[in-house]
Amino acid sequence: MLNIARNLEQVYSNMRAACEKSERNFSDIKLVAVTKTQDADKISELVRLGVKDIGENRVQEMVEKHILIDTSVNWHMIGHLQTNKVKNIIDKTSLIHSVDSYKLIKEIDKQAKLHEKIMEILVEINIAGEESKYGIEPGMLNAFLEEVAGFENIMVKGLMCMAPNVENPEENRLYFRKMRQMFIDSGNFTANNINMKYLSMGMTNDYEIAIEEGANIIRVGTGIFGPRS
């Protein structure tokens, strides 16, 4: 557990340095700890250390861990979400990052209505056009937002991307910069259920670059827990 505390402090230090470099406020950046394959004891230690935002890639893991972890935690669904799994996490997650289809939007709205809640979501963009990644094409964002407008139990809170897995994080600066511009432009879109607040981008390898380029949510797992065994 000592490693978790030390690693977390290093992540915070790196975040502060990136904020200073880009003249941003550290308090404006939300750290989501990615807990894929991590057990409840480690997650509870993170919560004890002050981390309140937990990101899960898999529905089943969120369901299992949700029972065991402090209720003050904000759960983020950051992995690809199948429509038939929405019902399992709709009452557990505070923000779904990975929304990339009209079919998924309809199911989230349906399940949210059944639970009498407004589900906050992010639209996932396949910013680098990778076949191995999910997300809508950048040029389709406006059309997608037009389709989303009007759903009563959905609130679009921003954009999300997964940049390419590269050795040199500087290679992703261009993609983060493009995302930032899309985020700014989408802020002009007028609809009652669209309020562009969050830009979720950057993981362990490149979160500092992402912060410099405008991210206000970063998703860090290995940087906190170390490499998965």
Side-chain angles (χ1 to χ4, degrees), residues 153-211:
N153 291 78
I154 292 278
M155 177 62 73
V156 181
K157 297 295 288 187
L159 306 179
M160 174 268 210
C161 80
M162 292 186 65
N165 184 16
V166 295
E167 289 188 14
N168 181 4
E170 279 290 341
E171 295 179 29
N172 282 335
R173 188 179 292 276
L174 174 63
Y175 298 120
F176 292 148
R177 193 165 291 172
K178 289 180 178 179
M179 283 293 299
R180 168 66 173 170
Q181 191 57 54
M182 290 181 64
F183 178 68
I184 292 172
D185 293 343
S186 63
N188 297 321
F189 198 94
T190 303
N192 291 333
N193 66 338
I194 297 177
N195 176 20
M196 292 298 190
K197 180 179 180 181
Y198 297 122
L199 180 55
S200 172
M201 59 186 191
M203 300 173 70
T204 293
N205 187 49
D206 54 18
Y207 65 86
E208 293 157 274
I209 303 296
I211 290 172

Side-chain angles (χ1 to χ4, degrees), residues 56-83:
E56 274 297 336
N57 294 72
R58 298 169 179 167
V59 168
Q60 188 58 36
E61 283 199 52
M62 179 181 286
V63 171
E64 293 172 355
K65 295 172 184 177
H66 185 270
I67 302 171
L68 304 173
I69 307 301
D70 191 302
T71 55
S72 66
V73 165
N74 299 314
W75 291 90
H76 298 244
M77 172 48 63
I78 62 175
H80 179 64
L81 180 59
Q82 297 175 313
T83 54

Side-chain angles (χ1 to χ4, degrees), residues 5-201:
R6 184 177 65 245
N7 292 345
L8 179 62
E9 187 51 47
Q10 184 60 59
V11 170
Y12 284 148
S13 178
N14 294 342
M15 290 171 63
R16 291 188 185 95
C19 286
E20 289 177 7
K21 186 175 180 180
S22 54
E23 299 182 341
R24 302 184 64 196
N25 294 322
F26 174 76
S27 59
D28 292 338
I29 314 300
K30 185 188 298 291
L31 169 64
V32 173
V34 180
T35 55
K36 179 181 178 181
T37 74
Q38 304 299 333
D39 61 38
D41 287 343
K42 290 181 179 179
I43 300 172
S44 293
E45 175 64 11
L46 266 186
V47 175
R48 188 189 69 78
L49 291 168
V51 176
K52 296 299 185 183
D53 292 278
I54 302 297
E56 274 297 336
N57 294 72
R58 298 169 179 167
V59 168
Q60 188 58 36
E61 283 199 52
M62 179 181 286
V63 171
E64 293 172 355
K65 295 172 184 177
H66 185 270
I67 302 171
L68 304 173
I69 307 301
D70 191 302
T71 55
S72 66
V73 165
N74 299 314
W75 291 90
H76 298 244
M77 172 48 63
I78 62 175
H80 179 64
L81 180 59
Q82 297 175 313
T83 54
N84 64 343
K85 298 291 182 66
V86 173
K87 62 181 180 293
N88 298 327
I89 57 97
I90 196 70
D91 60 334
K92 300 172 179 65
T93 182
S94 60
L95 183 63
I96 300 175
H97 290 228
S98 48
V99 176
D100 63 352
S101 73
Y102 184 70
K103 180 181 179 182
L104 181 56
I105 284 282
K106 287 180 65 178
E107 184 62 20
I108 293 172
D109 184 73
K110 172 186 172 182
Q111 295 298 331
K113 190 169 296 183
L114 291 174
H115 285 81
E116 299 182 341
K117 70 179 292 188
I118 305 298
M119 188 69 245
E120 296 188 353
I121 68 167
L122 305 181
V123 178
E124 182 174 6
I125 308 295
N126 188 346
I127 193 62
E130 296 178 280
E131 292 185 3
S132 60
K133 299 279 177 67
Y134 293 99
I136 67 171
E137 297 177 13
M140 297 299 295
L141 177 58
N142 284 346
F144 190 75
L145 291 177
E146 287 177 0
E147 289 186 323
V148 173
F151 280 101
E152 295 181 355
N153 291 78
I154 292 278
M155 177 62 73
V156 181
K157 297 295 288 187
L159 306 179
M160 174 268 210
C161 80
M162 292 186 65
N165 184 16
V166 295
E167 289 188 14
N168 181 4
E170 279 290 341
E171 295 179 29
N172 282 335
R173 188 179 292 276
L174 174 63
Y175 298 120
F176 292 148
R177 193 165 291 172
K178 289 180 178 179
M179 283 293 299
R180 168 66 173 170
Q181 191 57 54
M182 290 181 64
F183 178 68
I184 292 172
D185 293 343
S186 63
N188 297 321
F189 198 94
T190 303
N192 291 333
N193 66 338
I194 297 177
N195 176 20
M196 292 298 190
K197 180 179 180 181
Y198 297 122
L199 180 55
S200 172
M201 59 186 191

